[in-house]
Amino acid sequence: MKIPFIDLKTQYETYKEEINKEVLGVLESTQFIFGPQVTKLENDLAKFTGAKHAIGCSSGTDALILALMSLDIKPGDEVITTPFTFIATAEVIALLGAIPVFVDICDKNYNIDHTKIEEKITKNTKAIMPVSLYGQTPDMDKINEIAKKHNLPVIEDACQSFGAEYKGKKSCNLSTIGCTSFFPSKPLGCYGDGGAIFCNDDALAEKLRSLLNHGQGKRYEHKYIGINGRIDAIQAAVLNVKLKHFEDEITTRIKIGNKYSELLKDNKDVKAPFVFEDRTSVYAQYSVLCNDRETMSKKLNDVGIPTAVHYPIPLHLQEAFEHLGYKKGDFPISEKVGLGIMSLPMSPFLTEEQQNLIIETIKA
Ligand SMILES: *Cc1c(COP(=O)(O)O)cnc(C)c1O
């Protein structure tokens, strides 16, 4: 048996008729940019998250940079974030000439340790950007409280957590701005690149809509320096079909994640992910902490079970961020987790047989 890491093939086969019909409809209409599919997607995303505004855009990375641009983040400004994330989170800060200021992670769910944020706030701090890693949010109330005290906006990098809940509220609608990605392998994925930005402020939403379309208000009248950050209608059509099935997919993801965790409880070789009681994880990755990752992944790979590492090198130790002046030992928890973390196959189409083989192999 060869198990796919993320089973996009079975998912497509399952929704094929609906997806083909909607995508062909876009081709026939020749409405490739904006149009009814994008409008429908934005309305349904707003409904899904409870956010007043949902704005489709070209990727999770562009969602993040647009969020920073909408808040006027400028060269020299500091943005507080985590070093244990995909590079895009800090990359967009640096692209604007601003400075990513890292805070180590909590050793329970590997999200930013909110108790260490306040000591990093300076007069140059302009925003806090937590990441909802692996599909679970950090303690957003605590982060919002700190932000409020210092009059700072909070951008949730929710690129892995679309659909997750925190105290009954949806990820993406927990702070000033929420950003998500519809990259194919994310919990809700399209068939190319796509993303969305969420907020509750009318003026901010209008600015974001303008920024993602070259800063235009009226056509060829440019109020801001913007980017081409639009989502295309074909991606929106795919997402409109998948969103209808998404609640069911989340239920299955959580069921599979819980089963993994139950069966790995008290395992001496791997530590199952920890999910706080007041939230859910959509398990963008089901990542376990291994005592000996190399041996464990080899044994799994040998029987056709793929594994991945999210992420082996924390951002403060990446060559691209050398100029920030961090060194080994600065963020010990991020470094330790980077050495042991390993992701197992996860998708709502993972069969019982596949799940059992994975667990049995780990136990053996
Ligand atoms: C995937 C991801 C991004 C970037 O999303 P893209 O759509 O690939 O640009 C940003 N941050 C995190 C945490 C991600 O996992």
Side-chain angles (χ1 to χ4, degrees), residues 59-61 64 85-86 88-89 131 157 159-160 181 183 186 194 311:
S59 70
T61 306
L64 292 167
T85 174
F86 180 57
T89 314
V131 177
D157 179 344
C159 286
Q160 299 184 3
S181 163
F183 185 77
K186 307 282 178 173
Y311 298 90

Side-chain angles (χ1 to χ4, degrees), residues 202-222:
D202 297 345
L204 201 55
E206 198 183 307
K207 187 169 179 187
L208 283 160
R209 285 193 184 281
S210 170
L211 284 169
L212 69 76
N213 198 19
H214 300 289
Q216 291 182 99
K218 284 196 197 116
R219 195 166 204 188
Y220 302 129
E221 288 181 21
H222 305 268

Side-chain angles (χ1 to χ4, degrees), residues 263-336:
L263 295 170
L264 293 175
K265 201 170 64 186
D266 306 321
N267 186 283
K268 60 184 186 342
D269 299 310
V270 303
K271 191 167 134 205
F274 181 89
V275 181
F276 284 93
E277 263 184 21
D278 58 2
R279 40 206 115 150
T280 60
S281 176
V282 290
Y283 296 112
Q285 273 80 40
Y286 186 92
S287 305
V288 296
L289 194 65
C290 308
N291 289 333
D292 178 355
R293 179 168 68 203
E294 209 172 315
T295 310
M296 185 61 80
S297 63
K298 182 164 186 318
K299 294 247 158 99
L300 288 163
N301 299 163
D302 283 349
V303 295
I305 301 165
T307 56
V309 178
H310 305 95
Y311 298 90
I313 306 171
L315 301 189
H316 67 289
L317 301 178
Q318 296 283 354
E319 195 178 337
F321 287 126
E322 225 169 48
H323 64 281
L324 296 175
Y326 290 106
K327 58 185 187 315
K328 220 175 168 148
D330 282 347
F331 304 107
I333 304 173
S334 300
E335 291 172 28
K336 191 187 116 199

